[in-house]
């Protein structure tokens, strides 16, 4: 009965590995161990959870697909194909309901994930482009600099120093 419908929990395997390494180190150094709990990274709405319901408007269905697939290589054409309508219908219905283009919504979702990943100091920069749906690291770096006016490394340092997430300029 959750809203949005959730079918999976994304585990933080990297965080679990890091915590396990720290625990082993403590165990070897002083022979003491403690129970460690590693929270999940996030709830993930999978495609199996998305059911185009009659009560959902076309714009709501488009928003659900953006939320579920923005980090994949799915664009407006993929959404239109999945919903059985034209690209023009997808663009016009979404803009009328939410006041922005589908492309802008996809980018906003991707950049939100980039920010989330950058907030984790253990997350290396190299795989972020692939994780968040960009075709290359160079493209992400250019897009990030254009949007925020700084590099991802600068953003991470600034975010860490003030303890909060930076908003786009």
């Amino acid at each position: 009965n959750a809203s949005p419908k959730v079918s999976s929990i994304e585990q933080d395997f990297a965080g679990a590995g890091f915590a396990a390494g720290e625990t082993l180190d403590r165990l070897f150094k002083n022979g003491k161990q403690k129970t460690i709990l590693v929270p999940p990274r996030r709830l993930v709405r999978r495609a199996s959870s998305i059911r185009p319901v009659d009560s959902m408007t076309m714009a709501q269905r488009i928003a659900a697909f953006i939320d579920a697939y923005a980090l994949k290589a799915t664009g407006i054409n993929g959404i239109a194909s999945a919903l059985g309508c034209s690209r023009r219908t997808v663009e016009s219905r979404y803009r009328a309901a939410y006041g922005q283009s589908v492309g802008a919504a996809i980018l906003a979702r991707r950049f939100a994930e980039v920010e989330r990943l950058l907030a984790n100091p253990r997350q290396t920069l190299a795989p972020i482009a692939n994780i968040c749906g960009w075709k290359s690291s160079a493209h992400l770096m250019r897009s990030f600099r254009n949007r925020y006016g700084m590099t991802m490394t600068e953003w991470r340092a600034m975010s860490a120093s003030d303890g909060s997430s930076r908003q786009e300029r």
Side-chain angles (χ1 to χ4, degrees):
N1 294 332
S3 179
K5 297 292 184 196
V6 175
S7 62
S8 297
I9 296 173
E10 183 179 319
Q11 297 297 330
D12 184 5
F13 294 114
F18 185 76
E22 288 180 331
T23 301
L24 281 174
D25 186 51
R26 252 191 327 275
L27 184 61
F28 289 140
K29 286 181 179 174
N30 57 15
K32 295 183 180 180
Q33 66 183 38
K34 68 176 188 174
T35 302
I36 57 169
L37 299 175
V38 180
R41 288 180 68 190
R42 65 187 174 117
L43 298 175
V44 180
R45 183 169 37 180
R46 305 276 186 212
S48 59
S49 299
I50 300 173
R51 304 258 193 280
V53 180
D54 292 340
S55 63
M56 288 178 75
T57 66
M58 176 65 78
Q60 289 170 326
R61 290 171 36 199
I62 295 165
F65 270 82
I66 290 170
D67 189 47
Y69 293 110
L71 304 182
K72 308 281 187 247
T74 301
I76 299 168
N77 291 333
I79 295 169
S81 176
L83 294 176
C85 60
S86 71
R87 177 187 173 112
R88 183 182 299 263
T89 298
V90 168
E91 290 175 335
S92 65
R93 296 277 175 90
Y94 191 84
R95 184 178 295 278
Y98 297 104
Q100 70 175 356
S101 71
V102 172
I106 290 170
L107 273 179
R109 173 68 178 91
R110 287 179 179 178
F111 277 118
E113 184 67 5
V114 168
E115 283 188 24
R116 188 186 74 76
L117 292 170
L118 286 175
N120 178 356
R122 294 185 310 234
Q123 173 66 55
T124 59
L125 297 179
I128 291 177
N130 188 40
I131 293 169
C132 296
W134 269 271
K135 292 181 180 178
S136 71
S137 294
H139 185 210
L140 169 58
M141 287 187 272
R142 272 192 314 277
S143 298
F144 192 93
R145 185 181 263 298
N146 288 340
R147 187 176 186 102
Y148 295 91
M150 63 182 82
T151 67
M152 294 189 314
T153 303
E154 292 167 341
W155 186 94
R156 177 179 270 173
M158 186 175 292
S159 178
S161 69
D162 70 10
S164 67
S165 172
R166 306 300 281 170
Q167 297 298 318
E168 62 184 274
R169 294 183 181 182

